[in-house]
Amino acid sequence: STADPGPNHRGQPVYSTGDIIDTSDTVTGFICKNSLQTNGRCSDYQVRFLCPPKFFDCWTQWFDRDDPSGPGDYETLSALHAEYPGKICANPLQIQVLTTAWHPVSSTGDIIDTSDTKIGFICKNSDQKKGRCSDYKVRFLCPPEFCAPTTQLPKSITTIAPWHTDCWTQWFDRDNPSGPGDYETLSALHAEYPGKICANPLQIQVLTTAWHPVSSTGDIIDTSDTVTGFICKNSLQTNGRCSNYQVRFQCPPEFCAPTTITTTTTPCSPITEPRLKPCIITRPSLSTIPLNTSWTQWFDRDNPSGTGDWETLAALHQQYPGKICAHPLQIQVLTTGGLPVSSTGNVIHKSDPLTGFVCKNSDQTKGKCSDFRVRFLCPSEFFAPNPDCWTQWFDRDDPAGSGDWETLRNLLEEYPGMICPNPVEIQAQTTAGHCVSTTGDVIHKSDTVTGFVCKNSDQQNNMCSDYRVRFRCPPKFCTRAPVCWTGWFNRDDPIGSGDWETLNELKRENPGKICPKPLQIEAQTTAGEPASSTGDVIYKYDTLRGFICKNCEQENKKCRDYKVRFLCPLDFCTPSRCYTEWFDRDDPSGSGDWETLFALQAEHPGRVCNRPVQIQVETVSGDSMASTGNIITTVDVTKGFICKNSAQLSGKCNDFRVRFLCPQEFCDQKVCWTRWFDRDDPLDSGDWELLCDLRKLYPNEICETPLYIDVVTVDTNSPITVTGQAFHIYSPTEGFACRNNDQKGCLCRDYKVRFGCACKCEIYKN
């Protein structure tokens, strides 16, 4: 290592200062103590280190695209290239594999099918004695040039400014030691500050929130590294409590977008020989912009005619759903005339990516703010054309009490596995399907962190409407193989001999809520800390006995309070649920595989409910959608499933089939069909088989509220999806209409209709 004095004497060697150096080696680093100096103060030093060449090897980040809930864990190179374009070189030199818990493959006992740089990594459940692979992640060693910066161009040279090569994050302080300690873990920070910390930091730096070094506190530190993050446990301290810490991370330079120096080949003086001279130098901004980000459109939802200009993130999310990411990285503000904020002289109340922008008229000397507009910096994946991944609608509460509380925390507990932990967007509407804005209700909360809250006390009539909500999740949430986790159980606490969350007792106390033979068990403290990070000695932790922690085995003679849950076979979660049959109406021989909901309802009337709750997709051979590596265009309960051949690296989708989860009443309700009706033909304006007209012609032959409509041609009994004709109306409550002027170069075909009704003895049965 080498060291030189800091800014006042930058570049001078240590010996020139006359300082007495306490330590300077590659084990401890560099220490200069003021107490050893004759003038009572060290110079300010900077250090650097010489590392082996291998330190600079070009490894990718870690990837975990699959889990073993399907046929196994398929971390194939082709699928990873498709899902992470540009993140892995074309021909890797090496592959490295660990479990997601950071254990080597050899420790698992799994039989590995493939692990090489051509195919990637495959572990098949069918090869394992226990019937299931561990969950793995992979990374690849690439040629050095894959990681190297762009080479210089001959005439206009772009180089990274030397003062910009260090890419440090902001300081983070997510926890304090009021609980079990100070847990500034990387996983928690990634979840709470998405996009603000790189996946694999190079260094971690820790200080107290009072900006003192860790060494000055005397605390015993449990963990401080770039894999886990920082953990200080109160139980390890002599005074029983850690200091309060903050952390930051150094990331690869590419995580921070470098500001550039542009130099050109030009004569810079009367000398005729051209030479390289930096003619334009732009010093980098102090705020670095991460790569793989994009700006939203500009928004101007308010003007200062009231109390000021309130461009708050919460209001913008509600007014422009889906147009702004949940956790923006930066905010940019201009006047509506395009001038910077600084030019207005306004006193700004708030301007940050968490709150948004607020300018109050009461803060201004002239009594009024300028009119501002804002935009936000979001991760690029927010703008990617990924398929919409919406959950079903949830309605867990009604306004009979203090209001309607559709909170995310309660919904996650009541519907385990059906909502992602960190939704991208929330949508709310009344249970009758009306927009929130039409109700006139004052909404207390509507965001992806809290969920939705409407308080009766905020309403003029003292009563909220009854609402339901749904959430948009990352696409991976919809394409994952379905899993069946139980709810969390906490039957015991450590007041007696320990915490005994035994499987037999839990089954006895919660009949029917745990499967006979669970596949996995997960335990964490009641505060949400994983059991593995508590430091407790665990006596039993398996799917046969459950979870046991004994007080007598702990250093402090007391276990933490734990809760457990179990992973069960998928059919345990859907034993009596209402699934349709599997449908495979298309194959990828054309433009792709189009298993759309409308086409399936038209071609199989009465066999798919009008509003499915969930969709399940697999290949016709029974493989999971995730295992195919196909890029899916659409998979949701409103549109169905679409895979386009043009989006695939191989040029062709797999052949898929789908089925839908429907409300239970769909399975309980028996449907009877009317006879066929054909009251019109297309010789005039089109073929109009409207329900109101049919009722007049055929009184008492059609039920009051039809559930389904079936439409086919009179001559060949072909569904409208087969004819390819456009229709004007297609509804069981309105009927059917095909207009001639909607068709291209032809008249409508002649159609007949029938209606599906709730069965009565006198109605025609199918």
Side-chain angles (χ1 to χ4, degrees):
S1 69
T2 62
D4 63 61
N8 296 331
H9 306 281
R10 188 171 298 280
Q12 296 181 20
V14 177
Y15 65 80
S16 69
T17 65
D19 286 349
I20 299 170
I21 306 305
D22 179 78
T23 305
S24 180
D25 59 47
T26 58
V27 178
T28 305
F30 179 86
I31 300 173
C32 178
K33 296 181 178 178
N34 290 338
S35 60
L36 299 178
Q37 314 312 317
T38 53
N39 64 354
R41 189 177 181 90
C42 295
S43 301
D44 191 8
Y45 292 94
Q46 59 183 358
V47 298
R48 67 176 182 171
F49 298 87
L50 179 65
C51 296
K54 191 173 179 63
F55 178 76
F56 302 99
D57 281 350
C58 175
W59 284 98
T60 66
Q61 68 189 69
W62 287 98
F63 300 99
D64 176 29
R65 64 164 297 277
D66 194 20
D67 61 52
S69 57
D73 197 345
Y74 285 71
E75 308 293 337
T76 60
L77 190 59
S78 59
L80 289 166
H81 271 143
E83 293 180 28
Y84 301 93
K87 298 287 182 75
I88 307 170
C89 51
N91 299 297
L93 307 176
Q94 290 183 37
I95 183 174
Q96 200 173 59
V97 186
L98 293 174
T99 68
T100 53
W102 300 95
H103 299 143
V105 179
S106 58
S107 69
T108 65
D110 286 350
I111 299 169
I112 306 305
D113 180 81
T114 305
S115 182
D116 59 43
T117 57
K118 299 293 182 186
I119 297 175
F121 177 85
I122 299 174
C123 177
K124 296 181 179 178
N125 290 339
S126 59
D127 293 338
Q128 314 311 317
K129 290 183 180 178
K130 60 186 179 184
R132 190 180 177 98
C133 296
S134 302
D135 193 6
Y136 292 97
K137 58 183 175 181
V138 298
R139 67 173 183 168
F140 299 89
L141 179 67
C142 291
E145 57 268 22
F146 181 75
C147 294
T150 306
T151 56
Q152 294 183 342
L153 300 174
K155 295 219 177 241
S156 179
I157 303 171
T158 301
T159 59
I160 297 176
W163 52 76
H164 198 74
T165 53
D166 282 349
C167 173
W168 285 95
T169 66
Q170 68 188 68
W171 287 98
F172 300 99
D173 175 29
R174 64 164 296 278
D175 194 20
N176 62 52
S178 59
D182 197 345
Y183 285 72
E184 308 292 339
T185 60
L186 188 59
S187 59
L189 290 166
H190 271 144
E192 293 177 26
Y193 300 94
K196 296 200 173 180
I197 307 170
C198 51
N200 300 295
L202 307 176
Q203 291 186 46
I204 184 175
Q205 204 173 60
V206 187
L207 294 174
T208 68
T209 52
W211 302 97
H212 299 142
V214 179
S215 57
S216 69
T217 65
D219 286 349
I220 299 170
I221 305 305
D222 180 80
T223 305
S224 182
D225 59 47
T226 57
V227 177
T228 305
F230 177 85
I231 299 174
C232 178
K233 295 181 179 178
N234 290 339
S235 59
L236 300 177
Q237 314 312 317
T238 52
N239 64 354
R241 191 180 177 96
C242 297
S243 302
N244 193 14
Y245 292 96
Q246 57 183 345
V247 298
R248 69 173 183 167
F249 299 88
Q250 187 185 21
C251 291
E254 59 267 23
F255 182 74
C256 299
T259 305
T260 59
I261 298 177
T262 302
T263 61
T264 55
T265 303
T266 178
C268 299
S269 69
I271 300 174
T272 57
E273 181 185 357
R275 60 184 179 180
L276 192 66
K277 175 194 174 188
C279 295
I280 303 173
I281 301 181
T282 306
R283 189 167 182 83
S285 166
L286 292 177
S287 61
T288 58
I289 299 176
L291 290 174
N292 301 319
T293 56
S294 298
W295 288 98
T296 65
Q297 68 187 70
W298 287 98
F299 299 99
D300 176 29
R301 62 163 295 278
D302 194 21
N303 61 52
S305 59
T307 58
D309 196 347
W310 297 72
E311 308 292 339
T312 61
L313 185 60
L316 288 166
H317 270 146
Q318 193 166 346
Q319 201 160 324
Y320 302 95
K323 298 293 181 72
I324 308 170
C325 52
H327 305 285
L329 308 177
Q330 292 186 28
I331 185 175
Q332 204 174 61
V333 187
L334 294 174
T335 67
T336 52
L339 300 176
V341 179
S342 57
S343 69
T344 64
N346 286 173
V347 177
I348 305 305
H349 180 71
K350 282 279 185 183
S351 183
D352 62 61
L354 299 178
T355 307
F357 176 85
V358 178
C359 177
K360 295 182 177 179
N361 290 339
S362 58
D363 294 338
Q364 314 311 316
T365 53
K366 60 183 180 182
K368 192 166 184 178
C369 297
S370 302
D371 192 6
F372 293 96
R373 60 180 180 173
V374 298
R375 67 175 182 170
F376 298 88
L377 186 69
C378 293
S380 291
E381 56 263 26
F382 175 75
F383 302 96
N386 288 314
D388 282 345
C389 172
W390 284 98
T391 66
Q392 67 182 73
W393 288 100
F394 300 100
D395 177 28
R396 62 165 298 278
D397 194 21
D398 59 51
S402 60
D404 197 345
W405 297 72
E406 308 293 338
T407 61
L408 182 60
R409 181 178 178 180
N410 286 330
L411 289 167
L412 286 170
E413 289 179 358
E414 294 174 25
Y415 300 92
M418 298 176 73
I419 308 171
C420 52
N422 298 298
V424 177
E425 189 181 340
I426 184 176
Q427 256 186 18
Q429 59 179 223
T430 67
T431 51
H434 300 142
C435 297
V436 177
S437 57
T438 64
T439 65
D441 286 350
V442 177
I443 305 305
H444 180 71
K445 283 280 185 183
S446 182
D447 59 51
T448 57
V449 177
T450 306
F452 180 88
V453 178
C454 178
K455 294 183 177 180
N456 290 338
S457 58
D458 293 338
Q459 316 311 317
Q460 287 186 347
N461 63 355
N462 294 319
M463 189 83 163
C464 295
S465 302
D466 192 6
Y467 292 95
R468 62 182 182 179
V469 297
R470 67 173 184 167
F471 299 89
R472 184 160 70 90
C473 293
K476 191 175 181 181
F477 181 76
C478 286
T479 57
R480 79 203 193 291
V483 294
C484 173
W485 282 101
T486 66
W488 288 99
F489 301 100
N490 179 28
R491 63 165 300 277
D492 194 20
D493 58 50
I495 292 176
S497 60
D499 196 346
W500 297 71
E501 307 292 338
T502 59
L503 184 58
N504 286 339
E505 289 299 310
L506 287 168
K507 285 181 178 178
R508 185 179 63 80
E509 296 172 13
N510 301 276
K513 294 189 176 181
I514 304 172
C515 51
K517 295 182 178 180
L519 306 175
Q520 288 182 35
I521 181 175
E522 185 180 359
Q524 57 181 232
T525 66
T526 52
E529 183 185 349
S532 57
S533 67
T534 63
D536 283 354
V537 178
I538 307 303
Y539 177 71
K540 285 288 181 185
Y541 191 0
D542 59 49
T543 56
L544 297 177
R545 295 284 303 278
F547 179 89
I548 300 173
C549 178
K550 294 183 177 180
N551 289 337
C552 62
E553 295 181 349
Q554 314 309 318
E555 285 186 13
N556 62 355
K557 301 304 178 186
K558 188 164 185 180
C559 297
R560 302 279 290 278
D561 191 7
Y562 292 94
K563 59 183 179 180
V564 298
R565 66 173 183 168
F566 299 91
L567 180 68
C568 292
L570 186 59
D571 56 5
F572 177 76
C573 287
T574 57
S576 59
R577 300 180 82 179
C578 178
Y579 274 101
T580 66
E581 64 194 271
W582 287 99
F583 297 102
D584 177 31
R585 63 167 298 277
D586 193 21
D587 60 54
S589 59
S591 61
D593 196 347
W594 298 69
E595 309 291 339
T596 62
L597 180 61
F598 171 76
L600 289 167
Q601 288 174 332
E603 294 170 20
H604 304 279
R607 291 159 70 182
V608 183
C609 51
N610 292 321
R611 293 185 177 180
V613 177
Q614 286 182 22
I615 182 174
Q616 269 188 9
V617 185
E618 63 180 32
T619 67
V620 291
S621 58
D623 294 329
S624 70
M625 181 170 57
S627 69
T628 65
N630 284 175
I631 297 170
I632 307 304
T633 303
T634 302
V635 55
D636 63 44
V637 295
T638 56
K639 297 176 184 175
F641 174 85
I642 300 173
C643 177
K644 295 181 179 179
N645 290 338
S646 59
Q648 314 310 317
L649 288 175
S650 63
K652 191 166 185 178
C653 297
N654 287 65
D655 192 6
F656 292 94
R657 62 181 182 178
V658 299
R659 69 173 182 170
F660 298 90
L661 177 66
C662 293
Q664 188 60 43
E665 56 264 25
F666 173 76
C667 289
D668 296 339
Q669 177 71 67
K670 292 183 179 180
V671 177
C672 296
W673 290 91
T674 66
R675 65 184 177 95
W676 290 100
F677 301 104
D678 177 27
R679 63 163 292 279
D680 194 19
D681 58 52
L683 295 180
D684 194 8
S685 62
D687 194 349
W688 298 78
E689 309 291 342
L690 297 180
L691 183 60
C692 58
D693 296 327
L694 292 168
R695 287 191 194 280
K696 293 176 183 176
L697 283 176
Y698 306 101
N700 302 320
E701 289 198 38
I702 305 171
C703 57
E704 184 177 348
T705 309
L707 303 174
Y708 307 102
I709 185 173
D710 189 8
V711 182
V712 297
T713 59
V714 172
D715 52 356
T716 60
N717 288 322
S718 301
I720 191 166
T721 54
V722 175
T723 68
Q725 292 195 322
F727 58 85
H728 178 57
I729 297 172
Y730 191 107
S731 164
T733 56
E734 296 181 65
F736 173 81
C738 174
R739 299 188 300 191
N740 289 333
N741 59 9
D742 291 336
Q743 314 309 317
K744 294 181 179 179
C746 64
L747 299 180
C748 293
R749 300 276 294 272
D750 191 9
Y751 292 96
K752 60 183 178 180
V753 300
R754 63 175 182 167
F755 297 89
C757 299
C759 281
K760 291 182 181 178
C761 295
E762 62 270 20
I763 299 290
Y764 293 89
K765 293 191 177 182
N766 186 19

